[in-house]
């Protein structure tokens, strides 16, 4: 078997959705840190969004399955916890996908800059806790729609 180049493998993994936010890929999320060939073994480095993330095992299984679908069965996943994942690693494409899906992307200023539905800047926090540990609940005071905000980490 001819080994595919790493650019091709990045493309394959870009189609693997995050199990908690399926509109964004694990590549756009920034948790796939590196792909390299170590002899005949493909090594994929993965950094979980946080050390106790319940989706990590599902993500690793999804990576292994996606690679196997392309004939790559000699793979090794390397869980890389340092440096820790940060929302700065989200791609611009991923941030756009989050907004289009109705989730406000992380904003270092401390909260969403606008409602992902109507783009109003009149928003308020409902709860620091959302549907997953990495999200908080916010509401637009113009369109009155609640929405998730992806917290900065």
């Amino acid at each position: 078997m001819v080994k595919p180049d790493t650019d091709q493998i990045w493309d394959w993994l870009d189609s693997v959705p995050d199990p908690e936010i399926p509109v964004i890929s694990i590549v756009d999320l920034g948790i796939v840190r590196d792909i390299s060939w170590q002899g005949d073994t493909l090594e994929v480095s993965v950094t979980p969004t946080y050390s106790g993330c319940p989706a990590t095992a599902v993500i690793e299984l999804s990576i292994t399955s996606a690679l196997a679908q392309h004939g790559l069965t000699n793979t090794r996943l390397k869980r890389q916890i340092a440096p820790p994942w940060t929302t700065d690693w989200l791609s611009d494409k991923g941030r756009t996908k989050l907004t289009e899906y109705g989730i406000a992307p992380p904003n270092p200023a401390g909260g969403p800059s606008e409602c992902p539905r109507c783009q109003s800047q009149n928003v308020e926090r409902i709860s620091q806790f959302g549907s997953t540990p990495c999200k908080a609940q916010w509401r637009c005071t113009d369109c009155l729609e609640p929405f998730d905000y992806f917290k900065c980490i």
Side-chain angles (χ1 to χ4, degrees), residues 70-89:
H70 293 283
L72 298 178
T73 55
N74 192 10
T75 59
R76 178 176 44 242
L77 297 183
K78 178 180 161 190
R79 197 173 292 180
Q80 182 178 334
I81 58 173
W85 180 85
T86 171
T87 48
D88 293 339
W89 293 356

Side-chain angles (χ1 to χ4, degrees), residues 59-117:
I59 291 167
E60 290 175 347
L61 179 61
S62 296
I63 290 170
T64 303
S65 296
L67 296 173
Q69 287 176 2
H70 293 283
L72 298 178
T73 55
N74 192 10
T75 59
R76 178 176 44 242
L77 297 183
K78 178 180 161 190
R79 197 173 292 180
Q80 182 178 334
I81 58 173
W85 180 85
T86 171
T87 48
D88 293 339
W89 293 356
L90 276 165
S91 72
D92 290 339
K93 181 174 83 170
R95 290 172 183 275
T96 299
K97 285 181 179 181
L98 286 174
T99 302
E100 290 170 351
Y101 191 66
I103 299 173
N107 179 4
S113 59
E114 63 183 24
C115 171
R117 292 185 173 82

Side-chain angles (χ1 to χ4, degrees), residues 21 87 95 98 102-114 116 125 127-139 146-153:
I21 310 171
T87 48
R95 290 172 183 275
L98 286 174
I103 299 173
N107 179 4
S113 59
E114 63 183 24
R125 184 172 62 190
S127 173
Q128 186 60 23
F129 305 100
S131 58
T132 63
C134 53
K135 292 185 278 189
Q137 272 291 294
W138 284 67
R139 172 178 46 225
F147 61 90
D148 278 335
Y149 164 66
F150 200 113
K151 300 176 197 175
C152 287
I153 297 175

